[in-house]
Amino acid sequence: MSEKNTILIVDDKEVNRECLIKLLEDDYNILEACDGEEAIEILDKNRDIISAVVLDIIMPKLDGYGVLNEMSYRKMLPKIPVIVTSVDGDEASELKSLSFGASDFLGKPYNPIIVKKRLQNIIHLKETASLVNYLQMDTLTGVYSKETFSKKTKEILKHSKDKKYAIVYSDIENFQLLKDLFGEKTGDNLLVFMAKVLKHYVNDNELCGRIENEHFVLLKEYDKKSLHNDLDIIVKTVNDFPVNMNLRLRFGIYLIDTAKMSMHAMINRAILAVDTIKGRYGRYIAYYDKEIWEKQVHEQEILNCMEDAIKEEQFKVYFQPKYDLNSEKVAGAEALVRWVHPEKGFMNPGEFIPLFETNGFITELDKFVWDKTCSYIQGWKEKGYPIVPVSVNVSRTDIYNPDFIDIIMGIINKHGLKPENIHLEITETAYTENPHQIIEEVKKLKLLGFVIEMDDFGSGYSSLNMLNELPIDILKLDMGFVQGDLSMNSNNILSFIISLAKWMDYAVVAEGIETEEQIQMLRNMDCNFVQGYYYAKPMPPEEFERHLVEHSILNNDMEGLEMNFSDTEFRKSPGIMLIVDDLVLNRKILSSSFSRYFKTVEKENGAEALEYIKEHADEIDVIMLDLVMPVMDGFTLMKQLKLENKYSHIPIIVTSQGNDKSVEKSFALGATDFVEKPYNPRIIMHRVQNVVMAYKNARAEAKENEKNDSVS
């Protein structure tokens, strides 16, 4: 048996209520109120379960008309049908009740059959109307659903062949930001408000619907001047919504030239139009035209041949060098993909990368690039060339793939490499879309030994929050920071970002460098690394290989320095250089530079270094120590070593960003020398030579003195 509906009986006379209760209690759950005020209280509390109200007109405190009036202003109550009761034959009361929103009328004394039938009809009508409304209307905003909009548009076009119509698609460009800043409720309120504004500008034989999220669509009779005027007013009105933020509305317009086209295709063309003006200040209207159609055809051609392009290796990996800003030597590279089509020639990555990100093919392309990059690095290793870390892109789709780590590690192992040979570039937008998941994945990658670069830093709005949460190693500054106008404001922003990164012990790569002026500015701001056309464009592997051999910070260019060192003074030592730095790149630069003179041992924090020193103190010739590290920093390590005299014979060269306080504190704790980052190869070579030789001479002199003392 189905669950009973609930009705509310409102009458100041108990006998009337009892009569109706006795008549209806077998079929309904019944609530009762003795006056209008009590009725409103009950309705407010039980609006979700009351299916109908039987309401007397003449009552004290608040009469039936007053109840109807109150119900019209309260949430959800206007949807509850009301049957008014009064003396039979009172036509004036019946008409007045209907004008106040009543659904039907019952005369007194009650006819049991009529009472039951009218209640049954009115509840059934309400339920049927609710179902139809639910299926046809968007539940939040009250405009047509996508399906109903499409159906009704087709009907209008079918019967109005002599009229010109347009599909107008609306987009609130920064809607997600609004929800993040002010909450979901504010976002919903804005959509309800916008729906009301749009409906105000919809006439007879025109429609308004909601497609999804913040996207609405209109069917409008087309008159360019009138339509543009309406859209202009809509933009201004929506921006009056009470929130402290400028709302960027955009409209895409498709002029319907045939009713035979599917509604999906029509709406999609309006969407394509609006996409052409996203991010463009001052433009909020765009029409679908032949140029967009040709672009659409071109994109489809790209998608049709993408799989064959992978199989036939039409995609090529190019390398753009990254330079140490101090030495201007190659300290790394970025792997970039190029498509050399057999008929179209070189294709701009901007043509195909966004398409592949949308349809998911980017995962296949990324795997191809990773494998090719690792293959080239493997070849350079086998030839004995200097190996610098190469950055590869990791898309949002890759990060969300549960097999991603297995895939990338499989490629690394296949080519006999280590994770530190590959830097993983992750875009800032990936973090803003799903922070929790990307944080967890990056933590796993770092445990495996990968270096994480944040690409396009500064392009999103969550940058500072991201720095606090995401365990990254290197920031790649968005080229927007360093291109174009080098005004005082842009300099201040850039300087702040670099200083913040240094304070958090991140290395900084500035990309898109094109002028000497930019280089000087970045040097003054103590930026670590640069990348851009000023130094080199992306180049094919063979050309990069030659460039790497000639210009690498890790190559045998140090042979020129050896001419200044006599073998008797600084020949290869059997001792150990202990390199303590949490950044892999910094460790590798030092290790590669000094591996011909020492056995180099790397540790990524002070705690690991201290344990190693305790076991190998007599073998260590020098410690290269960073100051800012997790677990145990450089200052703390020096304090620990200073507590025991048995470590005093080991010289400590501090390698960090210099300031007066850190230099002074380092020497107070026993540092032998201080070398600022980024490293200058010639300077650091001389510093290490001087320190090591001085300590060796001091130890030799001490032993000689001990020998003489024992003889005398």
Side-chain angles (χ1 to χ4, degrees):
M1 187 171 134
S2 62
E3 187 178 344
K4 293 180 180 179
N5 288 312
T6 299
I7 63 172
L8 171 63
I9 297 172
V10 188
D11 199 308
D12 61 321
K13 292 185 172 56
E14 187 175 357
V15 64
N16 290 338
R17 297 199 305 274
E18 289 178 351
C19 177
L20 286 172
I21 290 170
K22 187 175 181 179
L23 187 63
L24 301 171
E25 61 186 352
D26 290 341
D27 300 316
Y28 300 97
N29 296 319
I30 297 175
L31 301 173
E32 52 181 313
C34 62
D35 60 55
E37 290 183 355
E38 185 181 4
I40 293 298
E41 290 178 7
I42 294 172
L43 283 164
D44 282 337
K45 293 178 182 177
N46 301 278
R47 59 167 67 98
D48 295 329
I49 64 169
I50 295 175
S51 298
V53 179
V54 180
L55 176 67
D56 187 34
I57 286 293
I58 302 171
M59 294 183 295
K61 293 186 179 179
L62 186 67
D63 63 14
Y65 302 127
V67 172
L68 288 168
N69 188 55
E70 282 290 322
M71 288 179 68
S72 68
Y73 290 106
R74 293 173 183 258
K75 186 177 180 181
M76 300 299 292
L77 296 189
K79 296 183 178 181
I80 301 175
V82 179
I83 299 178
V84 170
T85 66
S86 190
V87 177
D88 196 15
D90 187 354
E91 189 175 317
S93 296
E94 182 175 352
L95 291 173
K96 186 176 180 180
S97 300
L98 294 174
S99 70
F100 270 81
S103 302
D104 211 333
F105 193 90
L106 284 173
K108 297 179 182 177
Y110 301 124
N111 180 313
I113 297 175
I114 293 177
V115 170
K116 288 185 176 183
K117 193 63 178 176
R118 288 194 179 170
L119 257 179
Q120 183 184 37
N121 289 344
I122 208 70
I123 291 173
H124 177 71
L125 182 63
K126 177 216 172 187
E127 291 174 345
T128 304
S130 296
L131 178 61
V132 171
N133 188 65
Y134 176 78
L135 293 174
Q136 290 190 344
M137 312 304 286
D138 175 62
T139 55
L140 175 65
T141 62
V143 300
Y144 286 120
S145 66
K146 181 179 180 180
E147 293 74 16
T148 306
F149 177 87
S150 299
K151 181 180 178 181
K152 289 185 174 292
T153 295
K154 282 294 186 181
E155 291 173 357
I156 291 174
L157 295 177
K158 182 179 179 181
H159 296 98
S160 305
K161 296 180 180 179
D162 57 332
K163 294 181 179 179
K164 184 72 173 176
Y165 280 94
I167 294 291
V168 182
Y169 176 88
S170 74
D171 172 67
I172 305 174
E173 196 169 307
N174 49 352
F175 183 68
Q176 184 59 49
L177 174 57
L178 177 137
K179 289 201 299 181
D180 289 347
L181 293 176
F182 301 102
E184 291 281 343
K185 181 64 176 175
T186 300
D188 288 347
N189 290 342
L190 171 60
L191 295 181
V192 172
F193 177 72
M194 185 165 177
K196 289 180 179 178
V197 175
L198 292 174
K199 283 196 294 185
H200 181 75
Y201 291 92
V202 170
N203 302 318
D204 294 340
N205 283 330
E206 295 181 342
L207 302 172
C208 176
R210 182 184 176 207
I211 304 302
E212 59 181 358
N213 300 327
E214 75 276 20
H215 302 127
F216 293 86
V217 63
L218 304 175
L219 176 70
K220 293 281 292 179
E221 285 192 46
Y222 183 68
D223 174 87
K224 184 174 181 178
K225 183 176 180 181
S226 175
L227 178 59
H228 281 223
N229 183 61
D230 287 350
L231 296 181
D232 185 50
I233 297 172
I234 288 170
V235 169
K236 292 175 182 176
T237 306
V238 172
N239 266 290
D240 287 336
F241 181 75
V243 64
N244 188 25
M245 179 177 174
N246 184 44
L247 301 170
R248 296 197 296 270
L249 265 69
R250 302 285 186 267
F251 297 97
I253 301 173
Y254 170 64
L255 300 180
I256 301 172
D257 52 14
T258 173
K260 294 180 180 179
M261 184 182 293
S262 70
M263 280 307 305
H264 174 77
M266 292 184 189
I267 294 172
N268 190 52
R269 290 189 170 192
I271 293 172
L272 289 171
V274 85
D275 285 344
T276 64
I277 55 172
K278 281 188 175 180
R280 295 176 62 180
Y281 179 76
R283 287 283 305 276
Y284 65 91
I285 295 175
Y287 283 81
Y288 181 85
D289 56 19
K290 183 180 179 181
E291 184 178 337
I292 297 175
W293 179 80
E294 290 174 347
K295 180 174 180 284
Q296 194 176 7
V297 171
H298 177 63
E299 289 176 351
Q300 190 57 52
E301 290 175 350
I302 290 174
L303 297 177
N304 290 342
C305 62
M306 63 188 183
E307 292 180 356
D308 288 339
I310 282 277
K311 294 175 185 176
E312 298 169 8
E313 295 198 6
Q314 296 174 16
F315 293 106
K316 308 295 180 184
V317 176
Y318 275 46
F319 296 93
Q320 186 172 30
K322 298 177 186 176
Y323 296 84
D324 173 84
L325 190 53
N326 191 51
S327 67
E328 296 194 313
K329 296 289 185 179
V330 176
E334 179 181 3
L336 300 166
V337 67
R338 296 292 183 263
W339 188 352
V340 186
H341 193 276
E343 297 174 3
K344 301 178 186 295
F346 268 92
M347 296 176 63
N348 189 322
E351 293 182 64
F352 58 86
I353 294 294
L355 288 177
F356 294 168
E357 287 177 337
T358 301
N359 75 347
F361 189 70
I362 192 68
T363 57
E364 295 303 314
L365 183 59
D366 284 344
K367 284 190 286 186
F368 175 86
V369 172
W370 301 337
D371 186 66
K372 282 295 180 183
T373 299
C374 289
S375 176
Y376 287 122
I377 296 174
Q378 180 186 14
W380 299 332
K381 281 186 69 176
E382 291 171 353
K383 293 177 182 178
Y385 293 159
I387 303 302
V388 295
V390 179
S391 305
V392 296
N393 184 66
V394 176
S395 71
R396 288 168 288 183
T397 310
D398 297 325
I399 285 287
Y400 303 147
N401 182 353
D403 298 324
F404 164 61
I405 290 179
D406 291 338
I407 292 169
I408 190 76
M409 284 305 299
I411 293 172
I412 292 285
N413 295 330
K414 169 185 171 184
H415 295 285
L417 303 181
K418 297 179 181 179
E420 63 199 41
N421 296 131
I422 297 292
H423 288 192
L424 303 181
E425 285 193 6
I426 300 170
T427 59
E428 184 181 344
T429 50
Y431 168 83
T432 59
E433 289 179 3
N434 195 338
H436 177 73
Q437 184 168 355
I438 195 173
I439 288 170
E440 293 306 310
E441 289 301 306
V442 168
K443 285 179 179 177
K444 295 175 187 175
L445 292 167
K446 282 184 67 67
L447 287 174
L448 290 170
F450 287 101
V451 173
I452 308 299
E453 297 188 9
M454 178 54 61
D455 195 20
D456 290 338
F457 180 75
S459 60
Y461 62 86
S462 298
S463 302
L464 298 182
N465 190 48
M466 179 208 67
L467 282 182
N468 187 46
E469 294 182 337
L470 194 60
I472 60 177
D473 301 291
I474 298 171
L475 291 184
K476 286 194 73 178
L477 289 183
D478 178 28
M479 64 175 64
F481 276 120
V482 292
Q483 284 187 332
D485 176 32
L486 296 178
S487 64
M488 183 63 71
N489 285 340
S490 63
N491 283 1
N492 289 341
I493 294 171
L494 184 59
S495 179
F496 168 75
I497 295 294
I498 293 176
S499 299
L500 180 64
K502 292 300 186 69
W503 181 72
M504 301 183 79
D505 206 32
Y506 299 144
V508 177
V509 178
E511 60 179 342
I513 306 304
E514 296 182 352
T515 67
E516 174 66 27
E517 186 181 8
Q518 292 171 344
I519 291 293
Q520 294 305 322
M521 177 186 69
L522 290 166
R523 276 206 179 100
N524 293 336
M525 295 175 183
D526 199 23
C527 180
N528 303 95
F529 306 99
V530 290
Q531 175 184 351
Y533 280 21
Y534 177 81
Y535 287 105
K537 296 180 179 181
M539 55 187 74
E542 300 78 15
E543 185 179 340
F544 176 74
E545 184 178 306
R546 293 192 296 270
H547 193 80
L548 179 64
V549 172
E550 294 172 7
H551 301 286
S552 171
I553 197 171
L554 306 181
N555 70 6
N556 291 332
D557 190 45
M558 289 292 182
E559 290 174 1
L561 297 178
E562 285 187 272
M563 304 297 289
N564 300 322
F565 308 139
S566 70
D567 285 348
T568 56
E569 291 180 339
F570 200 30
R571 60 180 177 268
K572 183 171 177 61
S573 168
I576 292 169
M577 171 183 277
L578 177 60
I579 302 168
V580 191
D581 196 309
D582 62 323
L583 283 183
V584 175
L585 180 61
N586 291 336
R587 297 201 302 269
K588 290 307 171 189
I589 290 174
L590 290 174
S591 181
S592 298
S593 300
F594 289 98
S595 59
R596 75 189 62 193
Y597 303 114
F598 304 94
K599 174 186 176 184
T600 57
V601 175
E602 301 175 27
K603 299 296 176 183
E604 65 177 23
N605 60 65
E608 290 183 6
L610 183 58
E611 292 304 310
Y612 185 85
I613 293 167
K614 288 178 180 178
E615 296 180 11
H616 303 88
D618 293 336
E619 305 168 51
I620 298 173
D621 276 350
V622 64
I623 299 173
M624 310 297 287
L625 180 64
D626 185 37
L627 290 179
V628 184
M629 295 177 290
V631 185
M632 180 189 290
D633 63 17
F635 292 125
T636 306
L637 177 59
M638 284 190 286
K639 288 178 184 177
Q640 293 293 321
L641 296 178
K642 197 174 182 182
L643 294 176
E644 299 190 49
N645 191 54
K646 62 182 179 180
Y647 303 129
S648 61
H649 69 282
I650 306 174
I652 299 173
I653 299 178
V654 172
T655 62
S656 194
Q657 277 77 39
N659 61 64
D660 291 342
K661 288 185 178 180
S662 60
V663 173
E664 183 180 344
K665 187 175 180 180
S666 297
F667 285 125
L669 290 172
T672 311
D673 205 343
F674 193 108
V675 179
E676 288 190 29
K677 294 179 182 176
Y679 312 117
N680 181 303
R682 293 180 180 272
I683 291 175
I684 199 168
M685 184 65 75
H686 280 290
R687 293 277 176 85
V688 171
Q689 177 197 21
N690 292 341
V691 167
V692 172
M693 294 307 300
Y695 264 67
K696 282 186 175 181
N697 291 338
R699 284 201 298 272
E701 185 178 342
K703 286 181 179 179
E704 185 65 29
N705 290 337
E706 287 177 9
K707 181 179 178 182
N708 292 336
D709 289 343
S710 64
V711 171
S712 61

